[in-house]
Amino acid sequence: MELTTVWFLLIGVLWAGYFLLEGFDFGVGILLPVVGKDDTSRRLAINTIGPVWDANEVWVLVAGGATFAAFPEWYATLFSGFFLPLLIILVALIVRGLAFEYRGKRPGAAWKRGWDRAIFWGSLIPAILWGVAFGNILRGVPIDANHEYVGGFVNLLNPYALLGGLTTLSLFTLHGAVFLALKTDGPMREQAGRLAARLALVAVPVAAAFLIWTGLTHDDGWGIALSVLAALALVGAVLATRARREGWAFTATGATILLAVAALFVTLFPNVMPSTLDAANSLTVTNASSTPYTLKVMTWVAVCFTPIVLIYQGWTYWVFRKRLTLSDIPASGAH
């Protein structure tokens, strides 16, 4: 297998890992106004992701860095053409991170409510815009012969991409509700379980519509097969949620996200950004890649350091695996 293909697959794995892990972070943030009727319950919801949210965000940094190093032409066209939505995502993530850190620094109710809103919007906006961005990448954007994006911001707000944004929003919110049911006990566990069952009624038709539209416009056998598996995993998540089997439900929503991202990248290959103006202008794994020497050096770096990162993050989840209850939240404290 050529190194360009290896790195395309690795970048797909990085994005899949990011959406799997950051997806439930976004979901918890989006659900914060619903599950958090008072300060103690909001702190409980935040504490479920407190030990892991910042490590989950590292995946997007690595994905962006890997794209820059392995496919600089892709990176340049992507970040110039999608500058405004990516900037909005970046600002939202920064504000959200500040909210997690600053929320408990003062005791005032108004202070905390302000940061709670920041957590909500800082989770909602990226959850939508990531779907819009990847919907546009899969659909194709206007790229000229110099591999320059020649469209505007409005070009990105097409029906297919907007449906992609609704798909990621609904899946991440469902993923977050299932995670809350898995990580808590008592009243919040019951409430999160009920929310997950209701959210599934929205996520299933929205995701199905997006997958069907993708299958009709991209005749790729493997992509369609992976999409079908993603749909089956989502149905499994619904059944497990209704049976209150939180572990199986979380596994199923995670599998749905992983399979959906795999379907996207398989369908996209060998392109990395198709051109809607002329197929000859499309960026591919070949014409957008770095030199073979660069890819070889990066491969050795990835082989050496990726297992360390995975072991450390797995250890973090293992240490903080315990369910949380309202009694675990002190009367006063940071969160």
Side-chain angles (χ1 to χ4, degrees), residues 156-237:
L156 303 178
L157 303 179
N158 55 80
Y160 178 77
L162 292 175
L163 181 59
L166 291 177
T167 301
T168 52
L169 173 62
S170 60
L171 286 178
F172 291 164
T173 308
L174 173 61
H175 197 39
V178 172
F179 179 78
L180 277 175
L182 177 67
K183 280 292 294 177
T184 60
D185 210 347
M188 182 165 289
R189 179 184 181 184
E190 296 300 318
Q191 184 183 14
R194 291 192 298 269
L195 277 172
R198 295 170 187 167
L199 289 167
L201 299 177
V202 177
V204 170
V206 171
F210 182 74
L211 292 175
I212 291 171
W213 192 341
T214 302
L216 292 175
T217 54
H218 296 82
D219 187 16
D220 183 277
W222 283 106
I224 293 173
L226 289 169
S227 297
V228 170
L229 291 176
L232 292 175
L234 184 56
V235 171

Side-chain angles (χ1 to χ4, degrees), residues 8-9 11-13 15-16 19 74 82 129-140 160-161 164-165 167-168 171-172 210-211 214-215 218 220 222-228 230 256-274:
F8 178 81
L9 294 175
I11 289 171
V13 169
W15 280 109
F19 288 143
W74 183 13
F82 292 24
L129 290 185
W130 280 129
V132 173
F134 275 90
N136 277 293
I137 292 174
L138 188 58
R139 173 182 176 270
Y160 178 77
T167 301
T168 52
L171 286 178
F172 291 164
F210 182 74
L211 292 175
T214 302
H218 296 82
D220 183 277
W222 283 106
I224 293 173
L226 289 169
S227 297
V228 170
T256 301
I257 293 171
L258 293 176
L259 289 166
V261 175
L264 184 151
F265 273 84
V266 167
T267 302
L268 189 62
F269 185 82
N271 293 320
V272 293
M273 283 191 76

Side-chain angles (χ1 to χ4, degrees), residues 64-77:
T67 303
F68 172 75
F71 300 101
E73 194 77 33
W74 183 13
Y75 182 93
T77 304

